Amino acid sequence: MDLRLYDYPPSGNCLKVRILLGHLGHPYERIETDIFGGDTLTQEYADKNPARRTPLLEADGVYLPESSAILWFLAEGSPYLPANPLGRARALQWLLFEQERVGAIAAVRFRLHTGSVTPEDPIADKMRAAGRSALASLEAHLTEHMFLVNDRYSIADIANYCYTHVADDAGIDLGDYPMVESWLRRIEGREGFVNDLAPLPETARVGRGLSIYG
Amino acid sequence: MDLRLYDYPPSGNCLKVRILLGHLGHPYERIETDIFGGDTLTQEYADKNPARRTPLLEADGVYLPESSAILWFLAEGSPYLPANPLGRARALQWLLFEQERVGAIAAVRFRLHTGSVTPEDPIADKMRAAGRSALASLEAHLTEHMFLVNDRYSIADIANYCYTHVADDAGIDLGDYPMVESWLRRIEGREGFVNDLAPLPETARVGRGLSIYG
């Protein structure tokens, strides 16, 4: 399968896909897509992905957006997606959890960086509270389990890793969640794991209207 | 498989599961769970689902929460979930779309009903704008397709149906989205389709702190 990834290096959502592709060892062409430089605002990009988001996977000429859908697609038939129906449903549950709840960490981190909220803003406080609630749910689960699904490393862990591990950037102290921290280290110790998340650039402050989520 | 559904009749998320079970013709025990009557606040319920949400599926003694995860689990191997990897990834993409974007319709409908926002509230306006944006995305897709994935009815349609068809309750005129309306009618015409969504009761106004989402 011929793979091309439209990728913004500082995006946690894009990192999810790079981590999985690293584990799978599948070669792919990486097309750096500068969301603050207007790369997603062209008609050419909209033709590939009307939502104008990254990451976007091109697989044998077909375009697939949304990081979790890309993870699922790439992980089918691999050890990174459970084979049994209940395990698959649990994996999906954790992907939905990530979007709905860990997403708050991503949102406050991004908005602090772009300056669309200040650390003291009540909105930032509210989003951080939502992020802490997500971390508390992870902490409770990881107190009893090594990984999120069936005690076995999967795309559920990869998806939840990407914004959890930068919670400090959102003003949340990960030291309050020791089981989450141990889990992050377990993930980082997996064979083939590469975290090459780039820092959000200064130019991110210019384009407040854009979202890196997707 | 022995199925039991913990179900709140006015919840669109619970309706998703009932619609699919209706199509599958799989018998199940329905346990009405009054979220405003405190049924999800017991320790017994928390032991089954720490998130205290409905719907919750019990399958041969195992508990599975989250409507989309339940749909996926039940639809495996049926005509309601595509068999090929790309079709499955697209189905997942539309489930995520539903949670992130159609969810705004659910949220404003619920908050208007419980009185936690008024129709004139700027927050209600903002949520309605998000809901309209979701409907516009559906409209664009359905202009070219009969159903959301591979032009074939699936759990992606069921999931997106449940809050879309009550957009009027959120103060959004579905008449502005004729392709969405035709699609709703196509879904309702499918064999075995049953929409038994109960109206939100007056008691919903009491328990503003509770959420029916899940």
Side-chain angles (χ1 to χ4, degrees):
Chain A
M1 193 164 51
D2 203 33
L3 297 183
R4 190 174 288 164
L5 181 66
Y6 293 81
D7 178 274
Y8 182 59
S11 155
N13 284 319
C14 292
L15 175 62
K16 296 174 190 171
V17 182
R18 298 200 300 276
I19 289 175
L20 178 61
L21 284 166
H23 286 308
L24 295 172
H26 198 302
Y28 65 104
E29 182 184 358
R30 182 172 172 186
I31 300 186
E32 289 203 13
T33 304
D34 183 358
I35 61 171
F36 293 106
D39 290 354
T40 54
L41 300 179
T42 64
Q43 185 56 45
E44 193 189 345
Y45 197 81
D47 291 342
K48 298 182 170 79
N49 182 9
R52 299 184 185 278
R53 291 170 162 191
T54 58
L56 174 69
L57 186 74
E58 184 180 346
D60 289 339
V62 174
Y63 295 101
L64 183 64
E66 296 298 326
S67 57
S68 289
I70 296 170
L71 289 182
W72 197 281
F73 174 72
L74 292 172
E76 282 274 11
S78 84
Y80 301 99
L81 183 60
N84 67 314
L86 188 63
R88 296 164 81 83
R90 296 250 186 255
L92 178 54
Q93 185 189 325
W94 283 108
L95 295 179
L96 295 160
F97 173 89
E98 196 275 335
Q99 175 173 283
E100 182 187 341
R101 306 210 27 220
V102 177
I105 299 172
V108 67
R109 170 178 175 264
F110 183 72
R111 294 184 66 177
L112 287 172
H113 183 84
T114 58
S116 75
V117 296
T118 62
E120 300 74 27
D121 196 314
I123 294 172
D125 269 342
K126 204 175 157 186
M127 292 162 86
R128 264 194 298 264
R132 286 198 186 93
S133 157
L135 289 169
S137 294
L138 284 168
E139 183 77 4
H141 189 79
L142 293 165
T143 299
E144 299 185 15
H145 300 281
M146 293 288 283
F147 292 106
L148 294 178
V149 181
N150 295 352
D151 288 312
R152 183 170 167 173
Y153 182 56
S154 74
I155 57 171
D157 301 291
I158 295 172
N160 280 277
Y161 172 88
C162 286
Y163 287 105
T164 300
H165 89 288
V166 290
D168 289 337
D169 291 353
I172 297 172
D173 185 358
L174 275 172
D176 295 339
Y177 307 95
M179 294 299 164
V180 171
E181 287 205 309
S182 307
W183 165 75
L184 295 173
R185 300 299 90 78
R186 276 196 295 281
I187 293 173
E188 290 162 356
R190 302 292 301 192
E191 195 178 331
F193 179 91
V194 178
N195 177 351
D196 58 356
L197 187 70
L200 279 164
E202 279 304 306
T203 52
R205 298 184 185 274
V206 183
R208 295 182 183 182
L210 289 169
S211 166
I212 58 167
Y213 311 118
Chain B
M1 192 164 50
D2 203 33
L3 297 182
R4 188 174 288 164
L5 182 65
Y6 294 82
D7 178 275
Y8 182 59
S11 155
N13 285 319
C14 293
L15 175 63
K16 295 173 191 172
V17 182
R18 298 200 300 277
I19 289 175
L20 178 61
L21 284 166
H23 286 308
L24 295 173
H26 198 300
Y28 65 104
E29 182 183 0
R30 183 171 170 186
I31 300 186
E32 289 203 15
T33 304
D34 183 358
I35 61 171
F36 293 106
D39 290 354
T40 54
L41 299 180
T42 63
Q43 186 57 47
E44 193 190 344
Y45 198 81
D47 291 342
K48 297 180 170 81
N49 182 11
R52 299 182 184 278
R53 291 170 163 190
T54 58
L56 174 69
L57 186 74
E58 184 180 346
D60 289 340
V62 174
Y63 295 101
L64 183 65
E66 296 297 327
S67 57
S68 290
I70 296 170
L71 289 181
W72 196 282
F73 174 72
L74 292 171
E76 282 276 8
S78 84
Y80 301 99
L81 182 61
N84 66 316
L86 189 63
R88 297 164 80 82
R90 296 251 185 255
L92 178 54
Q93 186 188 325
W94 283 109
L95 295 179
L96 295 160
F97 172 89
E98 196 275 333
Q99 174 174 285
E100 182 187 341
R101 308 214 20 223
V102 177
I105 300 173
V108 66
R109 171 179 175 264
F110 183 73
R111 294 185 67 177
L112 287 173
H113 184 83
T114 58
S116 76
V117 296
T118 62
E120 299 75 25
D121 196 314
I123 294 173
D125 269 342
K126 205 176 156 184
M127 292 162 86
R128 264 194 298 264
R132 287 196 185 95
S133 157
L135 289 168
S137 294
L138 284 168
E139 183 78 4
H141 189 79
L142 293 165
T143 300
E144 299 185 16
H145 300 281
M146 294 289 282
F147 292 106
L148 294 178
V149 180
N150 295 352
D151 288 313
R152 183 169 169 174
Y153 182 55
S154 74
I155 57 171
D157 301 291
I158 295 172
N160 280 277
Y161 172 88
C162 286
Y163 287 106
T164 300
H165 89 289
V166 290
D168 289 336
D169 291 353
I172 297 173
D173 185 359
L174 275 172
D176 295 339
Y177 307 95
M179 295 298 163
V180 171
E181 288 205 308
S182 308
W183 165 76
L184 295 174
R185 301 298 89 79
R186 276 196 295 282
I187 293 173
E188 289 162 356
R190 302 292 301 194
E191 195 178 332
F193 179 90
V194 178
N195 177 351
D196 58 357
L197 187 70
L200 279 165
E202 279 304 307
T203 52
R205 295 182 188 276
V206 183
R208 293 181 184 183
L210 288 170
S211 166
I212 59 168
Y213 311 119

